[in-house]
Amino acid sequence: MAKCGKLFSMSDDLPPNILQPHAQWMRYALSQAQIAYEQDEVPVGAVIVHEGRVIAEGYNQRETLNDPTAHAEMIAITQAAESLSSWRLLDCTLYVTLEPCPMCAGAIVQARIPTVIYGATDPKAGACHSMFSITEDERLNHRCSVLGGVMQEDCKAILQQFFADQRAKGKK
């Protein structure tokens, strides 16, 4: 079985400044989340980086596309596969503002993405650390290194603001 690396969580003793190099890419993912917010979609954004450059980006579009699979990660994975002309997204890093759900975590494993960096945890549907650990499940052929909590407060804030706005409008 191929193993992609160690799973990290924010409770681990991490080397100093480990989060710093990831901030620029998480800011990019947050810009995608902002697009979703402006389109009245749950503000989750994702980017995939390969060899130091963004090869794919996505934001939630479930409402717009009437598609339950139109999560930011799924859109970015599809774009990245097209960009690399391969379904194997080796040597890529996925940055996403919210911990991936079971569907997205499964797609991440299937795409062989070796590294996932997320912002806010998702205690109701998170499938990397919170509810499930799909990305590190030893029963699967492939696993990923996962680091959560990068720019967590910013990622959490946009979601909280969105749902406060939705409640004020009488939605969601």
Side-chain angles (χ1 to χ4, degrees):
M1 274 190 221
K3 182 167 176 166
C4 296
K6 182 181 184 310
L7 176 79
F8 293 101
S9 75
M10 291 311 294
S11 61
D12 291 338
D13 289 327
L14 300 174
N17 300 321
I18 193 170
L19 304 181
Q20 188 58 37
H22 302 300
Q24 73 175 23
W25 303 120
M26 190 60 73
R27 278 192 291 278
Y28 193 128
L30 274 164
S31 74
Q32 293 297 299
Q34 184 62 41
I35 295 168
Y37 190 112
E38 292 165 3
Q39 294 183 9
D40 216 22
E41 296 275 359
V42 175
V44 176
V47 297
I48 296 179
V49 176
H50 179 260
E51 297 179 350
R53 67 182 181 88
V54 173
I55 61 166
E57 60 189 31
Y59 55 89
N60 275 1
Q61 296 182 55
R62 292 189 316 169
E63 301 295 333
T64 303
L65 299 176
N66 290 313
D67 180 353
T69 69
H71 288 201
E73 302 96 318
M74 301 296 280
I75 291 166
I77 288 169
T78 299
Q79 283 182 17
E82 186 175 323
S83 173
L84 296 178
S85 298
S86 176
W87 62 267
R88 291 177 187 88
L89 302 182
L90 306 173
D91 301 318
C92 290
T93 301
L94 169 68
Y95 291 86
V96 61
T97 58
L98 182 65
E99 180 182 0
C101 72
M103 174 184 67
C104 294
I108 289 163
V109 170
Q110 290 299 313
R112 312 299 197 259
I113 297 173
T115 308
V116 176
I117 311 293
Y118 69 85
T121 58
D122 187 349
K124 294 183 179 180
C128 294
H129 291 141
S130 297
M131 290 195 64
F132 307 101
S133 294
I134 291 171
T135 50
E136 74 161 344
D137 192 317
E138 292 183 7
R139 296 170 296 179
L140 299 173
N141 246 2
H142 300 276
R143 287 170 290 289
C144 309
S145 294
V146 178
L147 177 64
V150 174
M151 296 184 65
Q152 180 171 316
E153 292 308 313
D154 294 324
C155 294
K156 191 162 76 171
I158 192 170
L159 287 160
Q160 289 173 333
Q161 186 61 54
F162 175 79
F163 286 112
D165 291 349
Q166 293 298 304
R167 284 189 296 277
K169 294 178 194 174
K171 295 180 179 180
K172 300 204 184 338

